[in-house]
Every structure is written in C-alpha cells, then in structure tokens.
Amino acid sequence: MTASLPNAVVTATAVAAVSIRGVRKLFGSGENAVHAVDGVDLDIADGEFFCLLGPSGSGKTTLLRMIAGFELPTDGTILLQGADVTRLPPFDRDVNTVFQDYALFPHMSVADNVGYGLKVKKAPKAERVRRVGEALETVQLGAYGSRKPSQLSGGQRQRIALARALINRPKVLLLDEPLGALDLKLRQQMQVELKAIQTQVGITFIFVTHDQEEALTMSDRIAVFNRGRVEQVGTPADVYERPSTSFVAGFVGTSNLLEGSVASSLLGVEGTFTIRPEKIRVLGTTETTEGSETQGGHDVHAPGMVQHVEYLGPYTRLRVALDAGAVLQVMVQNTGDGVARGPGERVVLAFERRHIFDIQ
Amino acid sequence: MLKPLARWFHRRPLAGLVGLLGAPMAWLVVVYLGSLAALLVSSLYSLDSFTFNVVKHVGLQNYRELWQRPVYARVAMRTLGVAAAVTLVDLVLALPIAFYMAKVATPRVRRALGVALILPLWASYLAKAYAWRTFLDPAGGLLRKTLGWSPGFGLSGVVIVLAYLWLPYAILPIYAGLERLPDSLLEASADLGGRAGVTLRAVVFPILLPAVVAATIFTFSLSLGDYITVGIVGGKTQMIGNVISANFGVNNVPLAAAFAVVPMIIMVIYLVGIRRTGALENL
C-alpha cells in the first residue's frame, strides 16, 4: 500500500499530520441522541491528499469540523503533528478550512478577504499586500483583488476561498465539499488544479466529498465513511479493486452482488461476492465455448437475457437477467467493432474468478 | 365564469396594472400625502388671538415663533435627547438578545423568545404605559417597595418606558439580519484566527449595520413622536408630542402643525445622514 504512496513513505517515521484516536460525536441527548461519528481512528500523513468519502450523514463533515475546532468531540483525541488540539478553539489551531459555501465575507473586497487571516494576526501591511498578491496569483486571479465576492463567478469564489485559506500556510488544509456547487466541467478542471496546488504548496489536504469519482481521481488515500464509522482506508486502487465491505463495494463505483443461490450455482460456493460491471464480458450464445477458449481466463460463464440497454457515449451499460437469478450490470466499451446488443437478446456473461471479491 | 374577464385583462396589461394598484395608489396620494400637505399648509396659517379662530393668512409666523421662543428649542432638544437615549438603550439590550436568538438558542427556545417578543405588541399601549406607572410610582410603586428606589416620574422614567415599548422593534430587524448572516462566516473568521471580538468588529457588525440602522429608525422615530408615555410617566416633562397635543387642545392648530414639522425634518436629516455613510447600500 505504501509503495504507491511516496509521501507516506518519506514521512513514515515522522509524526502524522493529523491523528484521530477513538473520536466520537454525539448530537442531542437521551433517546434522541445520534452518533454522528462513532469511534474513528485515522492517521493522516504529512503532505498527503486524504479524502473522507461517504454519503450524506455518514459523519465525514462532522469529523472535519472537529478537526477544524467548530465542534468538540464527545470522546477521543485529535492530534495535530503530535500535539493534542482536541479542546482548542479554531483560532488556536494551525489548520484552515475551505467551506462548502465558500463563506467569503460579502462586505470585503477579494484582497481583504484573502488578507483577513494576516490582518487578524497583525502582519505588517507591506507583507500583507505582497502575500495577498502572491496568493491571488497562485489561484490565477491576480487582477481581481479590488472586486467584491458578489461580482465573481462560482468557480472564482472557490479559488478565492482557497487562496484565503492557503495564505496562512496552515499545517493542514480542510476542504468541505468545495467543488459541490460547481458544474461538471469546472469541477473536473478544479480537481486537477487543486491537486496541482496541493503538490506545489506541499500542505496536507483533508478533503470531504460524497463523490466517489472525485475521491478516486484526487486522493493519495481514501477513508470510506458509513454511519459514523470508517469502513475502509486505502489508496484509490485498494478501495476500488479490493473493497473490504459490501458498503464500500456498493458506494465506490458500481458493483454487482452475487449472493445466496446465485453464488452457489455460478461459483460453487456459498457467500456474498462482488464483481465490477467493467470486468464482465458479453458473449453471444454461439460464442460461448469458442470464447472461453480464446479468452482462457474467463472461467465463469453465466447465460442470461438482456433486459435493458443504456448508451452512455464511450460505454454502453447493459442490464442482464441471469438464468441463475440476479440481474447484473455490465459495462461494454464502445470500441466500434463490438456487437450491439438489444433488449430480449440471449447472451452469456463471462468473467474471471480473480475479479470476484468475497465480502461479508 | 371569470375566464372572459381574465382574457380581457390579459389583452390589456395597463388595465391590469390600474386594477392592481389603483386603490392603494389613490389611498397613498389622497389620504396619506393629502393629509401631509394639509399639515404643511395649515402650519402656514395663523390664530386670531381674540376669537381663537384659525385665520387663513399665509406666512411663516408660526415657524418664527418656534425659532424665537427658546422654550420650543429646549423642548425639541429634549425630545431629540430622549429619542437618542431610547435608541441607545434599545441597541444595548437588543444586540445580545438578537444574537442569542439567532445564533445560540435551540429552535425551541428561539420560538419561545419570538413569542415573548411579539406578545407584548398585542397588548394595549395604554395598558403597558399605565402598568409602568404603577411600577415607577415614587410613592409606594413596585420599584420603591422592592428596591427601595425609583426614578419616579420624569425624564428617566420616559426613557425607560419608551425603551421598553420599542424594544421588540429593535430586536426584530437585528434578529432578521443575524438570521441572514451565515454561521459559516463566523466560523471562517474564527478559522482564520479571529477571536470573538475581532469577528464581531470585522465581520458581524459591518454586515449587520443595515439591520441596526433599521432598528434605530424605528426606535428613534417612534420616540420622537410619542406623547402618551410622556403624559403618563413623564411628570412635568414636555416633549414635542405633548406641546403639539396641548396646542391642538387650545385650537392653535397652525402652531401645532408647524411644531409637527420639526420631528419630520429631524428624521429627514437622520435618514440623509445614514445614506451618506453607505449603510443602506447593502439593504
């Protein structure tokens, strides 16, 4: 795991940027109490781009807010580079936050927004002006210092929020679904840019998102959250290729579940297994024998009927009802030389045992 | 059945506009602006000192009298002072209460406080003023009995009671302003190193300024025009409102009208002054 994570290797012996020990957060009291975060342990290495991924209400944002100091944990400890900050107020922690709604001060110019942290810390004016200029250059908005936030587009506000947080050179930058409000194109562009900025400044980023694609593209490591707990921590490839629970398999990407009688009739074993839609090949009924010979690895064959066909541009998504039961999703790349399938058509699904994962 | 009518209006947008705004515009022009004009005109008339009848002899004699007799200037300054003091007291009380309601209290407490604020507005103004009279009474009032001290009837009594009466009008706009202030702005300020004092000064207050100004316009203008409270708890204190009322009592409508113009001028100066500061730009 660490082999694909150069940053972690370098700092393996150093103190973690953020250590979370047995953190719990209870909202409300008595019978109405809700465990927003229910016993989380995490170590985030220095310089790492770390994603907290999970559906809404899974506790990822609450954990981020506890690291920032906006919420106090009910139990547990939060260490920032080895120092206990669990009970410190936000202004005494060397972390900064990029808020979901950007939280730019509407009555201040862009430059005053970016320079706010320096002004509060009473940095000399000349230094403030210089660093605000640099920070605005970093996010490519050098000419916008005198504007008001209301005169900027969503993407520009996002960059200003980033510049405002980064100018203080925090040890850790917390990002709370910062790209959620942007449209798809801009979001993808900002993903690349964020990653580049992170590499450039070398600050640990903790990034909260519910978008699994975003988490996979940007992170060094991902912690997948469900109901206040961490289900799996690992590199994007770990989490995607080797999901450790059925929740992770279902939440990160799409997975087909094989369970009960379907599992035993196809695989010959009881249990619950997953397979990714892109790992399945679709063959015609006549190809079955021939196909399995040429594609030696395909050791599982499951006949069935196409139920539904969705054309997605680069891919076509099929839903195939297996004779053994279960409906599987299959992704077929539109290479141009494949056979177009239609609803009602008989097919055989072929896949390899090594792509099937046993989950509890 | 109404469809043909709807179609007729659809084809004639102007008729629709007249139908919508006709009655309120007529009310605004005839009743509201009309009575204002009548006030201004009658302030230019004069009173026959023998017959005590109003004489339609147009001139600035009433304004001259207001200007030349120092008692009127004293009353005007006193009224201004009371209005300013009431506004100050209300702001000092309203800011923390509104902040608590908008940013600290749980939803249930917030609702309870909201009701507690609105409820007194349903009670009669007179009843509240007289209640305060029994409270303030220097001889055997509640304050005397419990604390052994009472400001009694006079200027400070007027300020206290007016501040009480207008407090909801100060809290509500400030509360509404704070409701619109996202929590994330406060968090962002703390996150960037700002303690409570810095956050209040640099973030909360500038954004809240229009709401605070709205609150002061209420407390200030309501205090400027009040005469009932002064009559009930003011003792011998005279404010612009009393003097106007007294002059109406002796049929000196022209002088009363002229004096009524004074608080209007004060309010105009106040509003123009506020506009100059730019506080209303973000409304």
Side-chain angles (χ1 to χ4, degrees), chain B residues 261-279:
Chain B
V261 173
V262 172
M264 278 166 51
I265 291 171
I266 294 176
M267 273 323 284
V268 168
I269 293 172
Y270 185 62
L271 290 175
V272 169
I274 286 168
R275 223 182 100 90
R276 282 261 173 104
T277 67

Side-chain angles (χ1 to χ4, degrees), chain A residues 65 68 70 90-93 95-99 101 103-108 113 116-118 120-121 164-165 168, chain B residues 181-196 198-207 281-282:
Chain A
R65 291 174 57 79
F70 305 138
F91 46 78
D92 285 335
R93 297 182 187 209
V95 299
N96 283 120
T97 309
V98 176
F99 292 83
D101 63 355
L104 297 178
F105 305 124
H107 58 293
M108 294 184 196
N113 262 286
Y116 187 82
L118 296 178
V120 167
K121 286 176 194 120
R164 186 179 68 174
N168 306 294
Chain B
L181 175 75
D183 290 351
S184 63
L185 290 188
L186 308 184
E187 289 176 352
S189 175
D191 188 67
L192 295 165
R195 281 150 213 280
V198 173
T199 302
L200 277 180
R201 187 155 29 81
V203 178
V204 178
F205 198 72
I207 296 176
E281 275 167 24
N282 294 324

Side-chain angles (χ1 to χ4, degrees), chain A residues 164-181:
Chain A
R164 186 179 68 174
L166 279 175
I167 198 171
N168 306 294
R169 297 170 188 154
K171 290 187 180 121
V172 177
L173 187 74
L174 309 172
L175 303 102
D176 184 8
E177 308 222 12
L179 309 180

Side-chain angles (χ1 to χ4, degrees), chain B residues 8 30 52 59 67 74 89 93 126 152-153 189 200 259 269 275:
Chain B
W8 191 86
V30 176
F52 281 94
W67 187 253
R74 258 203 319 277
V89 170
L93 295 176
L126 269 181
F153 301 135
S189 175
L200 277 180
F259 210 22
I269 293 172
R275 223 182 100 90

